[in-house]
Amino acid sequence: MGMRDACGWFTPLLLAVAMGCVFPEQQVSVDVIPVPGSVTRGVGPFRITEGTVVEVAAPRMVAVVERQVAGLRRSTGLPLRDDSTGAGSRIRIVEAPSLPSEGYALRVSPDELTIEAATEAGVFYAFQTLRQLLPPLPEGTPSESVEWVVPAVVIEDAPRFPYRGMHLDVGRHFFDVDFVKKYIDTMSRFKLNRFHWHLTEDQGWRIQIDAYPRLVEVGAWRNESPLEKNLDPYIGDGIPHGGFYTKGDIRDIVAFAEERFVTIIPEIELPGHATAALASYPELGCTDDRLEVSTTWGVHDTIFCPKEETFEFLETVLSEVMELFPSEYIHIGGDEVPKRQWEESELAQALIRREGLADENQLQSWFIRRIERHLRTNGRRLIGWDEILEGGLAPDATVMSWRGTEGGIAAARQGHDVVMTPVQHAYFDFYQGDSLSEPLAMNWAEFPIPLETVYAFEPVPDALTDAQAEHVLGAQGNVWTEYMQTQEYVEYMAYPRALAMAEVTWSPRAARDWGAFTDRLRTVLRHLDAMGVNYRLPVEAFGHEDGAGSAR
Ligand code: TNX
């Protein structure tokens, strides 16, 4: 037997190097979601023990490492001392400026687990991978019998898309600060990095605005909600519902998200989905109707009137929003705007004539352009639902394509950036299994969206040229909450579908493999258990079997 033949997993690293062992670049599999770009065999394993120390060779990474190591200490109960001198095994963090901006490398050897990254985000993502390589146990209850073993791997990883989103509608149902943080924390564990926070709706305005206090005094509260799906004829549940976030709450959540490399994109809906705002300030409407915060779902006729007062209101609101949220993008809604009130309004019609507009669609475009100017003056960019294409896109607008991918294709062809969130793949409010055996969910399109359908989503349509495809920033899962009254049920609807979206947006297209995903999912669901996150057990993907996960 030649010396090289003696090489094996048991060979200590230095000896292995001295012996000239060659480790072929063989791809191996680890139970990590989203699947990393490359996983090859390393030497190891690496064990985290009493004596393991942490060495941060990159001063600007100290803060992010410290937060992640604190989590590891809580899970393992081990000291993981900061130390660059000791002789024991170490986790070493090194700055590697040549790596892609959110990318990282994680190399295992028996004495050292090395993490390399160009940015703090890259370090953060390396730690998320590391957590999934370790046993799935809750923080705070370390068990002495567990061995904290990292398998012998070399992982090189970076995201496919910069925009990897999850959305949450807090207008239909309000969710408290702790839950919003948990939602952000959970998504960040799977390398999702954009939280689209849908803050205003017909049924509730959720963000405190100093200049317009009635928005939360009046607009944040409704008398009741529809009882199940009794919309026509309407039956209410008789239970008042409401809530809002103070500016302090929002600053707290923004800071929490920043530590997890999640950018929050706030959405202020205009000119439609505005009933709660108009119930608070009826003078901003086109009619004399006395309005209440809506107690029913669907598309409402009540929209903002294009008056000077309205623009003053919206610009002031958006200025306060920009003060709170550092995000470059501000979402202005723009979806589902019935034009009836503008057709019947003398003011709107006079404006159409004065500006030489062809119709109400062009008036909507004019409205959005005006809002875009305000955002741009403040150094921000506008993003809106695909209806903002109708009547012509504002010059620098980004389109969120939800009624299929057609809006996204049209916008990319016009040279605009696009986020894909088509109803056919990305609506996590739709049933994920048979509607007869699932808790109540949305089904206006009359098709379910099982996990496999999310996983099959390809954000870059074939119809785009390579240059146009560059405009596809990424994709997002949407969680509309008409039928979600509890936190547990939001999680049940979001997971595991958000895991499929994480893989769609992070992993290389060629690495996607449904069978392999479901294999990895078994382990990853145990991590969700450890995190205390509810989910639906995807029985169709696993075959019918018992397991963890529960309904609401
Ligand atoms: C359409 S998606 C809406 C929402 C609803 C959702 C329910 C979009 C831009 N508008 O207002 O909550 O359907 O699935």
Side-chain angles (χ1 to χ4, degrees):
M1 186 165 80
M3 233 209 189
R4 285 182 183 210
D5 296 330
C7 300
W9 60 267
F10 46 81
T11 316
L13 179 64
L14 276 178
L15 185 61
V17 171
M19 286 160 60
C21 296
V22 176
F23 298 98
E25 288 261 296
Q26 189 191 342
Q27 291 287 324
V28 291
S29 154
V30 285
D31 289 344
V32 173
I33 293 178
V35 64
S38 154
V39 187
T40 52
R41 203 169 293 286
V43 265
F46 177 83
R47 282 168 206 282
I48 304 180
T49 62
E50 202 61 37
T52 304
V53 295
V54 177
E55 179 189 339
V56 189
R60 68 189 185 92
M61 311 292 196
V62 168
V64 57
V65 172
E66 191 39 52
R67 283 195 294 271
Q68 293 305 306
V69 170
L72 285 182
R73 289 188 190 116
R74 285 193 295 272
S75 304
T76 61
L78 295 169
L80 286 166
R81 276 178 284 274
D82 293 337
D83 192 346
S84 54
T85 53
S89 76
R90 67 191 50 236
I91 298 175
R92 196 161 69 95
I93 290 82
V94 187
E95 195 166 334
S98 63
L99 290 184
S101 97
E102 295 177 287
Y104 67 91
L106 187 156
R107 300 174 205 285
V108 170
S109 74
D111 328 299
E112 183 171 304
L113 185 150
T114 321
I115 286 174
E116 294 168 24
T119 62
E120 292 172 275
V123 171
F124 178 82
Y125 294 132
F127 273 95
Q128 304 323 306
T129 297
L130 174 58
R131 290 170 91 136
Q132 288 187 42
L133 295 172
L134 290 168
L137 288 171
E139 288 185 3
T141 49
S143 158
E144 300 220 330
S145 60
V146 174
E147 287 205 68
W148 299 96
V149 180
V150 185
V153 288
V154 173
I155 297 182
E156 287 167 347
D157 200 10
R160 179 175 172 205
F161 292 106
Y163 190 115
R164 306 181 297 277
M166 280 295 285
H167 151 286
L168 182 66
D169 165 17
V170 295
R172 272 54 176 268
H173 282 102
F174 176 74
F175 296 95
D176 68 17
V177 172
D178 286 345
F179 180 70
V180 174
K181 286 183 176 174
K182 185 183 179 199
Y183 192 83
I184 292 169
D185 184 53
T186 308
M187 59 182 269
S188 76
R189 296 281 198 110
F190 302 101
K191 307 185 176 84
L192 293 161
N193 69 345
R194 296 286 184 273
F195 173 50
H196 172 176
W197 200 3
H198 186 81
L199 283 163
T200 71
E201 257 307 336
D202 295 307
Q203 298 83 7
W205 181 284
R206 307 288 176 220
I207 172 172
Q208 179 183 26
I209 300 293
D210 297 332
Y212 295 95
R214 287 173 60 81
L215 287 170
V216 295
E217 287 162 11
V218 175
W221 312 96
R222 65 173 182 261
N223 292 333
E224 60 177 6
S225 311
L227 182 70
E228 299 189 336
K229 287 199 175 175
N230 296 290
L231 299 173
D232 187 16
Y234 175 80
I235 305 174
D237 65 4
I239 306 170
H241 180 85
F244 66 92
Y245 308 98
T246 65
K247 291 200 159 175
D249 292 340
I250 289 180
R251 286 194 193 96
D252 184 22
I253 291 172
V254 167
F256 181 92
E258 265 170 9
E259 288 187 351
R260 288 155 182 79
F261 301 90
V262 172
T263 302
I264 305 184
I265 298 166
E267 178 178 355
I268 303 296
E269 275 265 23
L270 59 93
H273 287 281
T275 312
L278 293 171
S280 314
Y281 294 98
E283 61 274 22
L284 305 178
C286 279
T287 71
D288 295 329
D289 297 349
R290 275 178 47 86
L291 291 169
E292 289 192 335
V293 178
S294 174
T295 62
T296 188
W297 318 131
V299 179
H300 295 15
D301 275 347
T302 30
I303 65 175
F304 285 114
C305 206
K307 303 171 178 174
E308 274 317 300
E309 263 175 289
T310 302
F311 289 106
E312 191 189 320
F313 167 85
L314 290 172
E315 291 181 3
T316 306
V317 166
L318 288 168
S319 293
E320 291 196 28
V321 166
M322 288 186 279
E323 244 174 71
L324 291 169
F325 293 95
S327 164
E328 184 185 19
Y329 276 118
I330 304 292
H331 203 303
I332 55 75
D335 61 311
E336 299 179 325
V337 186
K339 303 296 187 307
R340 193 178 61 80
Q341 293 193 342
W342 287 357
E343 283 158 16
E344 292 170 3
S345 151
E346 272 179 34
L347 186 143
Q349 293 303 316
L351 184 61
I352 288 177
R353 286 193 298 276
R354 190 188 81 204
E355 294 295 327
L357 304 171
D359 55 18
E360 289 74 22
N361 277 340
Q362 286 202 356
L363 177 54
Q364 161 146 343
S365 233
W366 182 89
F367 197 115
I368 305 259
R369 279 169 208 252
R370 199 163 157 177
I371 297 295
E372 183 181 57
R373 277 202 298 280
H374 180 64
L375 297 182
R376 279 170 67 153
T377 308
N378 288 277
R380 308 301 180 96
R381 294 182 70 191
L382 178 147
I383 184 166
W385 300 108
D386 57 47
E387 286 92 331
I388 66 171
L389 278 152
E390 294 161 7
L393 270 183
D396 186 41
T398 295
V399 169
M400 195 167 260
S401 190
W402 72 279
R403 296 174 302 175
T405 52
E406 292 75 13
I409 293 171
R413 285 185 173 148
Q414 293 174 33
H416 287 254
D417 286 343
V418 169
V419 174
M420 291 295 192
T421 178
V423 63
Q424 293 83 354
H425 296 272
Y427 269 48
F428 299 172
D429 57 334
F430 283 28
Y431 285 103
Q432 48 196 323
D434 180 359
S435 61
L436 295 175
S437 50
E438 286 293 306
L440 200 66
M442 192 58 90
N443 68 345
W444 55 262
E446 290 172 14
F447 48 74
I449 304 186
L451 183 62
E452 189 167 4
T453 302
V454 182
Y455 195 77
F457 180 49
E458 170 45 45
V460 178
D462 290 340
L464 296 182
T465 64
D466 289 350
Q468 292 162 349
E470 291 291 311
H471 287 294
V472 179
L473 304 179
Q476 168 176 296
N478 290 342
V479 180
W480 301 102
T481 58
E482 284 93 332
Y483 298 116
M484 300 183 206
Q485 293 168 357
T486 67
Q487 304 177 359
E488 292 72 26
Y489 191 42
V490 170
E491 291 179 343
Y492 177 90
M493 295 302 275
Y495 288 87
R497 289 187 286 194
L499 302 181
M501 189 54 87
E503 191 144 314
V504 165
T505 51
W506 176 280
S507 304
R509 187 173 181 174
R512 295 234 304 271
D513 175 333
W514 168 246
F517 174 77
T518 58
D519 286 345
R520 284 179 278 116
L521 186 59
R522 289 171 193 270
T523 305
V524 173
L525 292 181
R526 301 196 36 228
H527 286 280
L528 289 178
D529 289 334
M531 290 155 64
V533 174
N534 193 29
Y535 55 85
R536 177 178 183 274
L537 187 72
V539 282
E540 303 79 7
F542 291 156
H544 294 262
E545 59 181 64
D546 292 326
S550 59
R552 54 169 145 182

